Amino acid sequence: MFFKKAPWEQLNDAQGQAVRQTEGPVLILAGAGTGKTRVITTRITYLVHQGIDPSAVLAVTFTNKAANEMRERVGKMIKKDEAKLLTISTFHSLCVRLLRRDIEKLGYKKNFTIYSGSDQSGLIRRIITRSAAKDEKLEPGAALSLISKAKNSGEPVDENPEALISVVFRKYQRELKALNAVDFDDLLILAVKLLEEHPDIRAQWQKRYNYLMVDEFQDTNGLQMRLLQQLANANRNVCVVGDDDQSIYGWRGAEVSNILDFERFFRNPVVVKLEENYRSTEPILETANHLIRHNLTRREKRLWTSNKGSQRIRLMGVPGDKEEAEVVANEIWDAHMVRRLPWEDFAILFRMNTQSRVLEQTLREHKIPYRIIGGQSFFDRREIKDIMAYLTVFMNPHDDISLLRVINTPPRGIGKTVVEMALEQSVAWEKSIYSTLKQPEFTGKLGNRARTAIAQFLKFLDYYSDAVISRTADYAGLTERLMEDIEYPEYVAKSCRKEEEKQARAEALGEFMYGLREHQSKHSGGLQAYLDDVALLADRNKDDDIEGKKGVCLITLHAAKGLEFPHVYLIGLEEGILPHKRSLEENSRDEERRLLYVGITRAMKTLSLTYCHTRVRYGDPLPCMPSSFIRELDRQHLDEVNYQDWVNTPATEAQAQDAFARMREMIQGIDGFSADSKE
C-alpha cells in the first residue's frame, strides 16, 4: 500500500523505536496517553510492509472491542487480503482456536461446548443439591467464584479435600467433561496444558506464529504468561505493551510481576519507554508523576508534555457528600451555561458505586443530563429495586410487576409453578394477582403447603399496607423493620460471590435507608410522596444519560481506564475510600495508588479533587480523614481551595445573567405559564 508518508515516519523517536524493533523480546512501557494503540497498529503494519507473512503475526488483547478496534485500524493501512491473514484476537478466542484443533489429545471431543453464565449456574446448583448434607449450605454464585479463583491460581479450592466446596469442585469438573463442555477458565487451562504436554503441537503453533504481540500486558495473569511462553519460538520475537503504573486489576487475578519481571521470562529484552503524553497538561502530569513515585516497586518512567496548560490542579475539602455534589453540579452547570462547554466534556470519577446516589440526585435537581459508565444507576441496583418493589406493593397491592418481584424475594415457599398459575388465572379473571391469591376458587386448587405460604404472604402484605398508608406513618422505621422481618440483608449476602460485592450491597442498603430517613424528615405526604419522587428521579431519560448518549459521565475509577475527558472531578479522596480500607488488610495499597494515578491521568485540561469531612456510610454520617495520598501530591501544581471562600465568592456578571436565564427557563417549563404573560 502506498503512503505519502509512512505511518512509522509520523511517530516520535520512542514510538518509532518501538515499531522498528521487530526482532527478539521487546517490552514497550507505554505510559498513559502516549499513543499506545497507534504504536501497536503501526508496528503490525510495519511488519507486513517489511515482507513478513501476515499469517505469522499474532496480536492478543483482552476484549473483543479492543481486538476489533485494532483490526479496523490495521485494515486501513494494509491490503485487505493481507489483513485477513493476521490473527488479532482475545486470549479466550485464541485458546478456542488451539483447542478446536487438538483438544482430543486431552480426552475431549472437538465439538466441545463452552459453558458460561446460566449454564454454569444450573450445573453447579444441581451438584450442590445432590452433594450437600441437610445442615450444609453453599450458594452457587459463591461456589463458582471460589472455583474460578482456584483454577486460575492453581491452588486447592479449600485446604480440606472433604469440604463441601472441594467435593462440588471435583464433581463440577467431572460433569463438565462428561458433558464434553468447558468453562471460560478451562479454555486457558486446557490450552496451556495442551502446549506444555504435547511438544509436537507446541512446535506447530510456534512455527505458525513467528511474531507475537500482547496488549495491556500489565493485566495478564500467570496462566496467560505461561501461554505466551509456550507460543514463543526460538526466535523469541515477543513484544508486550503495557504500563505497570496502570495495573489496577489485582483483585481479578492480574499479576503486575509479569511486567515488572519480564526479563525473568524473556531474557535480555529491549525496553522502550513511551513517556511523551499527548492527552494532558503539564500540571496534571507532574501531579501524577509525583504521586506514583511513592510506589517503590515499579519501572521508572516520567510522563511529560509540551502542553504547559493554563490551570493548576484544584483540591477542596467540603463539609459532606451533599456539599461535594453541589460544588461539582454548580460548577458544571456554570461552565456549560456561561462558557458553553458541552456536558460530555465533564466526568465525575469515584472509587465506589455507592458514591453515585448523592451525585445522581443532585444532577437531577440541577437538570444536568448524565450517563453512567462502568456501573449502574443507584436506583437500578438489584437490592434497591427489591426494597422499592416492596414499598410499592404496600401502597398498591394490585401492582402486579412489583408483587411478582417480591413474592419469592427472599423465597417463602410459593413455588414458580404456583406463581405461573396465579398469573394465568389473574389474566383469565381480569383481576390483579393480589386479588387472585385471595380467591378460595384459586387457592382451593393448591396443596396445603402452598395455601399456607400464600396465606402468610397475604397477611404480611396487609399488615405493612395498613401500617404505611397514613401520611404520618414512620415509613423509614417500617422499612427497617421490613428488612429485619424478611432477613433481607442476610439473603443478599448469601447471593454474593465475593466479599467486596457483599460489602457494596450492604453499603447500598445503608445509603438507601439514609435517603429514606432524610426524605421523611423533610417532606410531608408519606410513603407515596417518596415513591413519586424516586420514580421521577429514576425515570432515566433515554436520550441523555445512558452509555454512548449525551451528558456528564459518571464513572468508577476502574472503568475509567483507557478513557479521557477534558474536565475531570475526582471525588472522595478519603482514607478508607481511596485508599480503600480493604487495601490495608490485603497489603494492596500500591494498587490503590495506581488507581488514583489512573484517575488523574484521565484529565486533559482541568482536574479538581475533593474530599469530605463527613460522609454518609451505611446510612449514618461518619467523620472522614483526608486520604493519605493527598500528602503525596506535588504542591507546586496544586491550589487548595477553602470551601467557605468558594461559597462566598460573588457571582460574576455573566453568572448572574445566567442565573436569571435559568430562572426564566424553569418558569417557561411550567405548563400553561409564559414568562412574558401579564396575568
Side-chain angles (χ1 to χ4, degrees):
M1 185 171 285
F2 176 75
F3 303 104
K4 289 182 179 178
K5 193 174 183 182
W8 48 90
E9 292 174 350
Q10 302 171 31
L11 305 175
N12 65 38
D13 291 345
Q15 291 173 331
Q17 183 190 359
V19 165
R20 292 185 174 88
Q21 184 63 51
T22 59
E23 306 305 306
V26 180
L27 169 60
I28 302 174
L29 295 171
T34 57
K36 171 179 70 76
T37 305
R38 186 182 185 189
V39 167
I40 295 170
T41 53
T42 303
R43 193 174 195 274
I44 295 171
T45 303
Y46 182 75
L47 284 169
V48 175
H49 186 266
Q50 292 297 103
I52 302 299
D53 181 356
S55 64
V57 178
L58 168 65
V60 188
T61 188
F62 277 83
T63 66
N64 288 315
K65 182 181 177 183
N68 291 336
E69 182 185 350
M70 201 182 296
R71 199 177 293 115
E72 189 177 320
R73 286 204 193 188
V74 174
K76 293 176 180 176
M77 294 190 283
I78 63 175
K79 296 174 183 175
K80 282 186 179 179
D81 56 345
E82 292 174 329
K84 287 179 183 177
L85 297 174
L86 295 167
T87 302
I88 300 175
S89 75
T90 64
F91 275 101
H92 286 113
S93 297
L94 175 64
C95 291
V96 170
R97 182 177 296 208
L98 269 65
L99 295 172
R100 285 291 177 207
R101 205 180 81 170
D102 291 303
I103 199 171
E104 288 173 322
K105 300 275 187 181
L106 301 176
Y108 292 80
K109 297 175 184 175
K110 285 185 180 178
N111 64 340
F112 63 88
T113 301
I114 301 170
Y115 267 33
S116 64
S118 58
D119 299 323
Q120 288 177 279
S121 296
L123 176 58
I124 207 83
R125 189 174 283 107
R126 291 196 299 273
I127 293 171
I128 291 171
T129 302
R130 294 199 306 264
S131 307
K134 277 189 178 181
D135 58 341
E136 285 185 304
K137 284 187 178 180
L138 180 61
E139 287 296 317
L144 284 171
S145 179
L146 290 168
I147 288 170
S148 177
K149 187 176 180 181
K151 284 186 176 186
N152 280 284
S153 66
E155 297 174 359
V157 72
D158 192 285
E159 291 181 4
N160 178 8
E162 300 307 314
L164 177 58
I165 184 62
S166 301
V167 174
V168 168
F169 185 14
R170 290 194 295 271
K171 289 183 178 180
Y172 173 71
Q173 284 304 108
R174 278 203 301 270
E175 294 209 22
L176 271 180
K177 192 161 186 181
L179 292 163
N180 195 40
V182 298
D183 62 22
F184 271 80
D185 295 316
D186 289 332
L187 291 174
L188 264 171
I189 292 168
L190 294 175
V192 170
K193 184 179 174 69
L194 182 67
L195 296 177
E196 287 181 343
E197 296 181 358
H198 297 275
D200 56 328
I201 295 173
R202 181 170 69 244
Q204 290 170 13
W205 287 104
Q206 288 180 349
K207 185 179 179 182
R208 163 76 187 273
Y209 295 124
N210 196 32
Y211 292 87
L212 311 179
M213 293 184 67
V214 181
D215 187 19
E216 302 289 3
F217 190 66
Q218 76 279 347
D219 296 336
T220 54
N221 61 24
L223 276 171
Q224 288 157 338
M225 174 55 96
R226 284 166 61 190
L227 179 68
L228 181 62
Q229 287 178 289
Q230 293 303 311
L231 288 170
N233 59 28
N235 293 327
R236 302 188 310 140
N237 296 332
V238 177
C239 174
V240 301
V241 187
D243 181 8
D244 53 301
D245 289 336
Q246 296 186 74
S247 179
I248 58 173
Y249 297 119
W251 51 277
R252 216 159 61 184
E255 297 180 21
V256 70
S257 58
N258 285 351
I259 197 167
L260 294 176
D261 302 331
F262 185 69
E263 290 86 346
R264 183 160 60 87
F265 304 104
F266 295 95
R267 298 185 65 182
N268 302 318
V270 173
V271 179
V272 182
K273 296 180 183 180
L274 306 184
E275 297 171 297
E276 183 175 2
N277 177 284
Y278 295 95
R279 173 188 299 155
S280 308
T281 64
E282 186 174 80
I284 292 168
L285 296 183
E286 285 302 321
T287 300
N289 287 331
H290 204 272
L291 171 76
I292 204 63
R293 279 204 295 270
H294 289 80
N295 274 6
L296 300 179
T297 308
R298 62 183 288 266
R299 287 185 177 268
E300 183 58 38
K301 68 190 80 69
R302 177 182 168 275
L303 296 178
W304 64 275
T305 180
S306 56
N307 179 7
K308 298 298 180 184
S310 59
Q311 294 195 42
R312 290 151 62 87
I313 311 304
R314 193 184 61 164
L315 173 68
M316 184 189 295
V318 295
D321 43 8
K322 286 185 195 171
E323 291 84 356
E324 182 179 56
E326 280 291 336
V327 167
V328 174
N330 272 301
E331 291 194 343
I332 290 176
W333 178 275
D334 287 340
H336 175 74
M337 298 302 291
V338 178
R339 294 159 55 198
R340 302 300 175 191
L341 298 181
W343 299 121
E344 296 72 39
D345 278 5
F346 297 90
I348 309 171
L349 276 55
F350 41 87
R351 175 67 176 83
M352 301 185 298
N353 269 312
T354 49
Q355 290 171 263
S356 75
R357 182 190 72 84
V358 179
L359 285 170
E360 287 188 69
Q361 191 165 331
T362 306
L363 292 174
R364 285 286 181 183
E365 288 168 358
H366 285 260
K367 294 184 167 39
I368 296 175
Y370 66 89
R371 56 206 163 115
I372 294 182
I373 298 177
Q376 59 185 158
S377 169
F378 181 82
F379 294 100
D380 284 344
R381 296 178 68 95
R382 188 192 82 190
E383 59 274 18
I384 305 305
K385 292 179 82 169
D386 284 348
I387 301 302
M388 287 296 297
Y390 268 110
L391 299 182
T392 302
V393 169
F394 296 156
M395 293 304 295
N396 176 17
H398 302 286
D399 183 324
D400 283 354
I401 292 175
S402 295
L403 188 139
L404 286 171
R405 186 175 184 96
V406 304
I407 195 168
N408 262 323
T409 306
R412 49 172 51 90
I414 304 174
K416 187 178 178 182
T417 304
V418 173
V419 173
E420 288 175 354
M421 286 172 61
L423 181 58
E424 288 175 12
Q425 192 65 70
S426 71
V427 173
W429 284 346
E430 295 184 353
K431 293 177 179 287
S432 68
I433 295 173
Y434 173 76
S435 297
T436 302
L437 293 175
K438 288 209 161 198
Q439 301 300 316
E441 296 94 322
F442 173 72
T443 54
K445 303 174 188 175
L446 307 176
N448 288 335
R449 211 164 149 191
R451 273 204 307 275
T452 301
I454 288 173
Q456 289 174 342
F457 177 58
L458 292 172
K459 183 180 178 182
F460 160 81
L461 285 187
D462 290 344
Y463 167 78
Y464 275 98
S465 294
D466 292 342
V468 301
I469 202 74
S470 165
R471 289 176 60 147
T472 58
D474 176 14
Y475 54 89
L478 285 164
T479 303
E480 206 153 16
R481 190 194 305 172
L482 161 73
M483 288 200 276
E484 290 175 10
D485 283 354
I486 64 175
E487 298 181 346
Y488 187 76
E490 293 81 358
Y491 164 72
V492 169
K494 285 178 184 175
S495 68
C496 296
R497 296 188 180 192
K498 297 180 179 178
E499 186 61 35
E500 50 262 39
E501 183 188 359
K502 188 188 297 183
Q503 184 176 332
R505 294 198 184 280
E507 288 183 5
L509 288 172
E511 278 283 311
F512 175 79
M513 283 308 306
Y514 176 78
L516 193 63
R517 284 193 289 266
E518 185 181 46
H519 188 278
Q520 183 171 297
S521 69
K522 292 183 177 179
H523 299 81
S524 58
L527 178 58
Q528 189 60 62
Y530 174 77
L531 293 174
D532 292 345
D533 287 349
V534 171
L536 293 171
L537 179 69
D539 181 22
R540 303 175 65 198
N541 188 325
K542 293 181 181 179
D543 293 328
D544 64 21
D545 68 352
I546 60 172
E547 185 171 351
K549 298 294 182 182
K550 302 293 183 182
V552 173
C553 182
L554 270 60
I555 187 167
T556 64
L557 286 164
H558 281 102
K561 184 168 169 285
L563 303 177
E564 59 184 31
F565 306 93
H567 307 285
V568 167
Y569 287 86
L570 206 165
I571 68 168
L573 261 72
E574 294 133 41
E575 204 71 7
I577 292 183
L578 186 63
H580 196 281
K581 62 182 180 182
R582 196 170 56 247
S583 68
L584 302 175
E585 302 161 6
E586 300 177 356
N587 196 28
S588 56
R589 186 180 174 83
D590 280 7
E591 183 159 318
E592 291 291 297
R593 189 179 282 109
R594 292 194 290 267
L595 193 57
L596 176 55
Y597 173 85
V598 165
I600 290 171
T601 54
R602 298 312 93 197
M604 300 167 70
K605 296 178 180 178
T606 68
L607 172 65
S608 294
L609 310 172
T610 62
Y611 63 90
C612 296
H613 298 298
T614 302
R615 185 176 290 277
V616 174
R617 300 290 302 275
Y618 301 100
D620 297 314
L622 298 174
C624 301
M625 290 293 292
S627 170
S628 51
F629 290 154
I630 291 175
R631 294 196 301 270
E632 300 174 1
L633 301 178
D634 183 4
R635 266 29 190 195
Q636 183 183 344
H637 299 282
L638 194 69
D639 284 334
E640 294 194 50
V641 179
N642 182 280
Y643 173 72
Q644 285 304 323
D645 290 345
W646 180 88
V647 170
N648 296 327
T649 300
T652 64
E653 185 179 344
Q655 288 171 325
Q657 289 175 354
D658 171 57
F660 181 69
R662 286 163 64 179
M663 286 190 286
R664 284 176 61 89
E665 187 179 295
M666 291 171 69
I667 292 169
Q668 287 172 338
I670 301 172
D671 289 341
F673 187 92
S674 167
D676 296 324
S677 172
K678 294 179 182 179
E679 295 183 13

